[in-house]
Amino acid sequence: MSLLKRLEKEKSVVPEGVDKTERLVSSLPVKQDPYRDLKIKIHKLVIEELDTEVMREEWEEAEIDKISQTIENLVNTALDKEASYIPRTDRSKIISELTDEVLGLGPITPLLNDPTVSEVMVNGPNQVYIERKGKLVHSDVSFRDNDHVLHIIEKIVAPLGRRIDESSPMVDARLKDGSRVNAIIPPLALKGPTITIRKFSKDPLKIEDLIRFGTLIPEMAKFLEYCVKARLNIVVSGGTGSGKTTTLNVLSSFIPNDERIVTCEDAAELQLRQEHVVILESRPANIEGKGAVTIRDLVKNCLRMRPDRIVVGEVRSGEALDMLQAMNTGHDGSLTTGHANSPRDMLSRLETMVLMAGMDLPVRAIREQISSAVDLIVQQNRLKDGSRKVTHLTEILGMEGDTVVLQDIFVFEQKGLDDHGKIIGQFRPTGIRPKFLGKLESAGIRLPDDIFSVHTL
């Protein structure tokens, strides 16, 4: 949908007449905005006044300045004429809100610009939550109505060639900064259009940042760096919101710059800084239900692209089989993530996902594939206090009978809570030296002898 058409649609969703506006406001379980009617009227004037010839999906800086100045002039003129009593601070707020509406994503624009906010969840026009420092907080942001939320969703998905309507009421998308967006609308979302935005740092986090956040300790960080450089196959396991993608991105940063990397993702989120990177993104079906390209299709295709490393954003289904086969057939150093609450659970999840590929394989054969393909599981969890910790670095040793044998190299031990509800605990090595140390030494990497010694780090 063109921007002009979207602006026309926006005109149609702006309530016409005071009576209708009052009915809408009276039905909302929130405090009424004292300038609501005035802002709606000025908003319509802004849409009519702006020169649509300069309206594009990508804004030049000069155009942004021009549009911002136009909005400011219109607001001041309208307020001088109809509401000169409004204080200067409130005028500035109205100008800012209208600028966000035209150039940004409406009411949630300040939340997206706030570096302390990691997730934005719109459950309806009057219920917007944010995640800050691992905790969910109800924000004071609100939309006019359901149509306003739907308009913002369309503003997100239209530039990507995606659509959302009753026949296709769910969509995954991304913002220009790489933030991941999921939107779902009625009839599936019973309380109205819903938006969930997982934000990502504009500057990719580094391993030093994870150490500073307390996600892991320097000894674990150095160990992981050497494992990536020695081309070990690594799976990052964790629950929703545990920070798996961030950790995968950090691990990917250790890949040498002279290697060819191919990434496969549903929504491109990884921010690799190497020079030789090919980014592949899946595609949903079109309106006729055709043309879908799955992660499994991408993994199969990337094997023909001469990759030195394959990085899959997340394995959820049958692509796990193709990923394991790639790891077992010369594509060492591959990385991926998966949803699981422990390293052992991750093995069970991989078994289930391989079976979803439709191959009638015996369970023992699947377990042998997993044990020979994956070298290390990095288990990451979000704890009760909102902190994210790498709780296990676990080696896969191989098969013993019908069981895949695991051994922990590093663990996080939780000991309790302090007076502020923060988790008290410590990272420690288990004292076991990994069996794959030979791979590291073959790559010319030698770890300090005391890094695996049992002591509090």
Side-chain angles (χ1 to χ4, degrees):
M1 184 185 295
S2 70
L3 189 55
L4 179 56
K5 288 183 178 179
R6 294 212 312 274
L7 286 172
E8 290 299 324
K9 179 176 178 58
E10 184 170 350
K11 290 183 187 180
S12 69
V13 303
V14 174
E16 295 286 346
V18 176
D19 292 339
K20 185 177 179 183
T21 300
E22 288 177 349
R23 289 199 304 274
L24 282 169
V25 172
S26 65
S27 68
L28 302 180
V30 291
K31 184 178 179 180
Q32 182 178 349
D33 181 354
Y35 306 131
R36 176 186 172 88
D37 296 347
L38 186 60
K39 286 194 292 188
I40 290 172
K41 185 174 182 178
I42 297 175
H43 190 196
K44 291 173 64 180
L45 291 174
V46 168
I47 296 169
E48 292 168 359
E49 181 68 23
L50 285 175
D51 181 2
T52 55
E53 291 182 2
V54 301
M55 297 288 232
R56 294 197 298 270
E57 305 300 349
E58 297 290 337
W59 303 102
E60 298 290 341
E61 186 174 347
E63 293 171 343
I64 293 175
D65 293 341
K66 179 180 178 181
I67 292 169
S68 300
Q69 189 60 52
T70 301
I71 292 171
E72 183 176 350
N73 293 340
L74 284 170
V75 170
N76 285 327
T77 301
L79 294 183
D80 288 342
K81 183 178 179 181
E82 300 188 25
S84 58
Y85 58 87
I86 293 180
R88 180 176 297 177
T89 53
D90 287 352
R91 284 188 179 223
S92 298
K93 184 179 179 182
I94 292 172
I95 291 170
S96 177
E97 289 176 359
L98 290 176
T99 302
D100 289 340
E101 192 67 39
V102 175
L103 295 174
L105 295 179
I108 60 175
T109 302
L111 301 179
L112 298 176
N113 293 334
D114 186 345
T116 67
V117 174
S118 56
E119 196 142 0
V120 178
M121 293 147 279
V122 180
N123 297 344
N126 305 313
Q127 194 180 68
V128 179
Y129 283 87
I130 60 172
E131 182 187 72
R132 182 179 276 130
K133 296 182 179 179
K135 292 289 188 179
L136 295 183
V137 181
H138 189 277
S139 77
D140 58 359
V141 167
S142 65
F143 291 78
R144 288 192 303 270
D145 48 36
N146 283 335
D147 284 336
H148 192 189
V149 181
L150 184 59
H151 171 69
I152 296 303
I153 295 174
E154 290 176 343
K155 208 169 184 182
I156 293 170
V157 303
L160 302 176
R162 305 282 175 88
R163 65 186 184 87
I164 189 163
D165 51 38
E166 286 191 6
S167 63
S168 181
M170 295 186 294
V171 68
D172 286 311
R174 69 179 185 279
L175 302 181
K176 287 187 293 184
D177 64 359
S179 297
R180 183 172 62 203
V181 182
N182 174 269
I184 183 167
I185 65 172
L188 301 187
L190 301 184
K191 291 186 177 181
T194 301
I195 310 171
T196 307
I197 301 176
R198 173 76 56 81
K199 289 176 57 183
F200 290 94
S201 175
K202 293 181 180 178
D203 296 317
L205 295 179
K206 299 178 180 179
I207 193 69
E208 293 81 11
D209 297 310
L210 298 190
I211 295 171
R212 190 175 74 253
F213 297 154
T215 303
L216 41 61
I217 52 175
E219 289 82 356
M220 295 167 68
K222 184 60 67 175
F223 176 68
L224 287 172
E225 179 182 351
Y226 287 157
C227 287
V228 174
K229 289 182 175 177
R231 302 184 64 85
L232 268 59
N233 294 318
I234 300 174
V235 176
V236 181
S237 166
T240 300
S242 60
K244 299 185 299 297
T245 303
T246 298
T247 298
L248 179 64
N249 208 51
V250 169
L251 294 180
S252 301
S253 70
F254 297 137
I255 298 175
N257 202 41
D258 60 351
E259 296 188 19
R260 175 175 169 86
I261 308 167
V262 181
T263 70
C264 305
E265 301 174 82
D266 273 327
E269 301 167 357
L270 296 175
Q271 300 168 294
L272 275 64
R273 292 299 180 90
Q274 288 87 343
E275 294 178 4
H276 199 163
V277 180
V278 179
I279 302 171
L280 306 180
E281 186 178 58
S282 65
R283 184 180 69 186
N286 60 19
I287 193 169
E288 288 85 20
K290 299 178 180 179
V293 179
T294 66
I295 288 288
R296 187 172 189 192
D297 296 327
L298 296 180
V299 173
K300 288 179 178 178
N301 187 79
C302 77
L303 295 177
R304 306 184 185 101
M305 299 174 67
R306 198 235 169 260
D308 288 312
R309 306 268 189 159
I310 299 171
V311 181
V312 178
E314 182 179 340
V315 287
R316 297 189 183 95
S317 186
E319 64 270 8
L321 175 60
D322 303 286
M323 187 72 185
L324 292 173
Q325 289 178 335
M327 290 175 170
N328 273 323
T329 55
H331 296 89
D332 296 334
S334 297
L335 307 169
T336 189
T337 74
H339 275 86
N341 294 323
S342 71
R344 180 63 65 182
D345 287 347
M346 189 66 244
L347 295 182
S348 300
R349 286 274 294 139
L350 284 171
E351 285 182 34
T352 303
M353 289 186 284
V354 169
L355 291 171
M356 292 170 70
M359 302 289 287
D360 189 16
L361 297 172
V363 172
R364 180 178 174 83
I366 296 173
R367 291 177 181 173
E368 286 176 346
Q369 280 265 359
I370 294 170
S371 64
S372 62
V374 182
D375 297 301
L376 183 69
I377 296 176
V378 179
Q379 180 66 40
Q380 184 155 332
N381 293 325
R382 184 173 66 171
L383 306 183
K384 289 183 178 180
D385 63 353
S387 63
R388 294 169 170 86
K389 306 283 187 186
V390 174
T391 57
H392 298 78
L393 295 183
T394 303
E395 179 186 15
I396 297 182
L397 290 175
M399 294 286 291
E400 194 170 281
D402 289 335
T403 304
V404 179
V405 181
L406 303 177
Q407 69 177 13
D408 295 332
I409 309 301
F410 288 89
V411 294
F412 175 77
E413 289 185 341
Q414 183 176 332
K415 296 188 174 182
L417 299 174
D418 65 14
D419 295 337
H420 303 288
K422 293 292 184 182
I423 286 176
I424 301 172
Q426 64 182 28
F427 295 97
R428 69 171 182 85
T430 60
I432 299 173
R433 295 175 69 83
K435 186 178 177 181
F436 56 63
L437 275 183
K439 287 187 178 181
L440 272 65
E441 291 172 356
S442 298
I445 296 170
R446 185 170 183 83
L447 289 167
D449 292 333
D450 62 346
I451 193 171
F452 305 112
S453 300
V454 180
H455 62 282
T456 301
L457 294 174

